[in-house]
Amino acid sequence: RKDSACTQVILHPLLRTLEVTSQSLLLTLDQGHNLTNLTVLYLFFDIKRQSGIEGQLLNFVGSLRQLTKLKISNCCTDQLLAVLATSCPQLRVFDAEEDSEMSITDHGLAFLSNCRELVSVVLNDDGDEYDYEDRYFGVSGKGIAHLIITLPKLTLLVCEPY
């Protein structure tokens, strides 16, 4: 049984950092509408195992106008990057290193290039030079080059093999 009073204390409006796991995901989406001061968000769950909540997740992330750092695992999509680009103007760090099933394309990277404050972009780098086409099937050198050209503050970009 989940105690909603406990959740309300944890999801206090002054909260600045939040880690969301599969156990806390539904409560966070239900109670997280008032987290306007959140600057750091860690999303550690497999979105494919959470049926029907992608829209709620995108709405939640889109409400985080003060977000400066996002670290995710197994939920990186072009739609998420579009939400970040339109709703999170302060984003400085985007870290998807642990997302081994990343489903982004050059189109999504073009959205990410609208986050002008980005200094660090880390995409999944598991594997070797022989399987990069499987890991980044929708990402090309052109998409990576676009990020480099359009993000003036970018100091770290990890996307093997580019």
Side-chain angles (χ1 to χ4, degrees):
R1 186 186 120 140
K2 295 179 171 66
D3 185 356
S4 63
C6 207
T7 302
Q8 290 173 359
V9 170
I10 294 170
L11 297 179
H12 191 277
L14 296 178
L15 190 66
R16 310 265 303 160
T17 301
L18 178 64
E19 179 177 309
V20 181
T21 64
S22 58
Q23 291 81 20
S24 62
L25 176 61
L26 294 178
L27 287 171
T28 301
L29 295 178
D30 185 48
Q31 302 288 324
H33 57 275
N34 64 346
L35 297 176
T36 56
N37 290 308
L38 201 66
T39 59
V40 178
L41 179 62
Y42 300 101
L43 297 176
F44 296 129
F45 56 85
D46 187 349
I47 191 71
K48 293 177 181 103
R49 293 186 181 186
Q50 310 290 329
S51 65
I53 60 139
E54 187 171 1
Q56 283 181 280
L57 176 65
L58 294 175
N59 288 336
F60 170 65
V61 172
S63 73
L64 305 176
R65 304 268 184 225
Q66 303 300 317
L67 194 65
T68 60
K69 179 179 181 179
L70 176 63
K71 182 172 178 70
I72 62 175
S73 67
N74 291 326
C75 55
C76 188
T77 63
D78 285 351
Q79 294 85 358
L80 176 65
L81 298 182
V83 167
L84 292 173
T86 58
S87 303
C88 303
Q90 305 300 318
L91 190 66
R92 295 177 48 78
V93 176
F94 176 77
D95 184 344
E97 181 178 15
E98 296 180 24
D99 191 347
S100 60
E101 297 181 24
M102 190 176 310
S103 60
I104 60 170
T105 66
D106 285 347
H107 187 68
L109 290 181
F111 285 121
L112 198 58
S113 70
N114 290 321
C115 297
R116 306 308 250 167
E117 298 299 316
L118 273 171
V119 295
S120 176
V121 175
V122 180
L123 304 178
N124 178 270
D125 63 350
D126 286 342
D128 55 38
E129 68 271 18
Y130 302 110
D131 70 352
Y132 74 91
E133 289 177 344
D134 294 331
R135 286 183 287 138
Y136 302 117
F137 65 90
V139 175
S140 69
K142 184 177 179 180
I144 297 298
H146 182 74
L147 271 184
I148 293 169
I149 292 168
T150 59
L151 294 174
K153 297 180 180 182
L154 190 65
T155 58
L156 175 66
L157 174 61
V158 177
C159 180
E160 299 290 334
Y162 301 108

